């Protein structure tokens, strides 16, 4: 697919059909997302793909305080776990990725959303979540950080492609020479 077309088609979808998202599709999305760059190439994340009945059970963890009612129709999720920061030694220098872990998770998420779109699937990136509930759901320690969740599925029939409304590049970009 043409890159600009891919960018124009990818949108936050909030109404999904109940068509299954296959394990192969979820694996391919995660495989491609893992090609994202990360600080000192530490890839500070783990990915969990949840589908089927488990996705239905998971939905409540992205409906904190009554938000995201639309998530009832989500057939699959990709959960991003931020791993603990690491320090690597290069000669006399110690280099940490601590301040970049959240950035790396965001870059990974963007790659995943575009990979899904390229496969004909739609996504919605979710920031509102119950992290302790997610940790319990995944049998991980409380306090585990899940910076973003990606809802994945086929859009519902008739779900519109919205026009992208963005500021003019001249309002956003400053070229400094």
């Amino acid at each position: 697919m043409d890159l600009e077309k891919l960018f124009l088609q990818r949108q936050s979808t909030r109404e999904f059909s109940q068509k299954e998202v296959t394990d192969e599709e979820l694996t391919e999305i995660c495989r491609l997302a893992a090609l994202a760059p990360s600080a000192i190439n530490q890839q500070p994340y783990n990915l969990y793909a949840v589908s089927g009945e488990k996705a239905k059970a998971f939905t409540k963890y992205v409906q904190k305080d009554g938000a995201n009612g639309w998530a009832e129709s989500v057939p699959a999720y990709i959960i991003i776990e931020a791993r603990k920061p690491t320090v690597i030694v290069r000669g006399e220098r110690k280099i940490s990725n601590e301040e970049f872990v959240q950035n790396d998770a965001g870059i990974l998420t963007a790659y995943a959303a575009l990979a899904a779109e390229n496969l004909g699937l739609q996504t919605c990136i979710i920031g509102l979540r119950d992290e302790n509930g997610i940790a319990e759901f995944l049998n991980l320690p409380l306090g585990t950080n899940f910076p973003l969740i990606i809802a994945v599925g086929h859009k519902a029939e008739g779900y519109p492609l919205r026009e992208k409304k963005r500021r003019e590049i001249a309002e956003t970009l400053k070229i400094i020479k």
Side-chain angles (χ1 to χ4, degrees), residues 1 4-5 18 32-33 47 81 95 99 108-109 126 134 141 153-154 160 163 168:
M1 178 182 286
E4 184 174 5
K5 184 177 178 183
Q18 288 308 294
L32 292 170
L47 301 171
E81 173 195 357
I95 305 168
E99 65 184 281
L108 172 83
T109 301
I126 304 169
I134 295 169
H154 298 272
E163 179 183 350
E168 293 294 324

Side-chain angles (χ1 to χ4, degrees), residues 104-154:
D104 291 343
I107 296 166
L108 172 83
T109 301
Y111 271 54
L114 292 169
E117 186 68 40
N118 196 52
L119 291 175
L121 294 159
Q122 285 70 51
T123 57
C124 187
I125 300 166
I126 304 169
L128 187 68
R129 70 237 175 255
D130 173 359
E131 288 194 329
N132 283 335
I134 295 169
E136 287 179 5
F137 180 87
L138 295 173
N139 294 315
L140 296 171
L142 294 182
T144 301
N145 179 233
F146 304 98
L148 294 165
I149 312 298
I150 308 169
V152 182
H154 298 272

Side-chain angles (χ1 to χ4, degrees), residues 19-34:
K19 183 177 178 185
E20 176 189 14
V21 178
T22 67
D23 291 352
E24 293 77 19
E25 289 169 321
L26 291 167
T27 299
E28 183 66 0
I29 292 165
C30 293
R31 185 188 73 77
L32 292 170

Side-chain angles (χ1 to χ4, degrees), residues 21-104:
V21 178
T22 67
D23 291 352
E24 293 77 19
E25 289 169 321
L26 291 167
T27 299
E28 183 66 0
I29 292 165
C30 293
R31 185 188 73 77
L32 292 170
L35 296 173
S38 63
I40 55 176
N41 196 30
Q42 292 302 289
Q43 304 160 50
Y45 41 75
N46 292 317
L47 301 171
Y48 303 88
V50 180
S51 62
E53 290 305 311
K54 291 288 189 181
K56 298 296 179 208
F58 178 81
T59 295
K60 66 183 176 186
Y61 301 115
V62 297
Q63 293 180 316
K64 192 174 177 182
D65 301 324
N68 298 332
W70 58 266
E72 296 294 333
S73 70
V74 175
Y77 294 95
I78 297 172
I79 304 162
I80 299 165
E81 173 195 357
R83 291 196 341 242
K84 300 283 185 222
T86 57
V87 175
I88 63 170
V89 178
R90 290 196 177 147
E92 302 272 324
R93 291 181 29 198
K94 289 184 180 179
I95 305 168
S96 172
N97 69 334
E98 182 173 14
E99 65 184 281
F100 303 109
V101 171
Q102 300 299 319
N103 297 350
D104 291 343

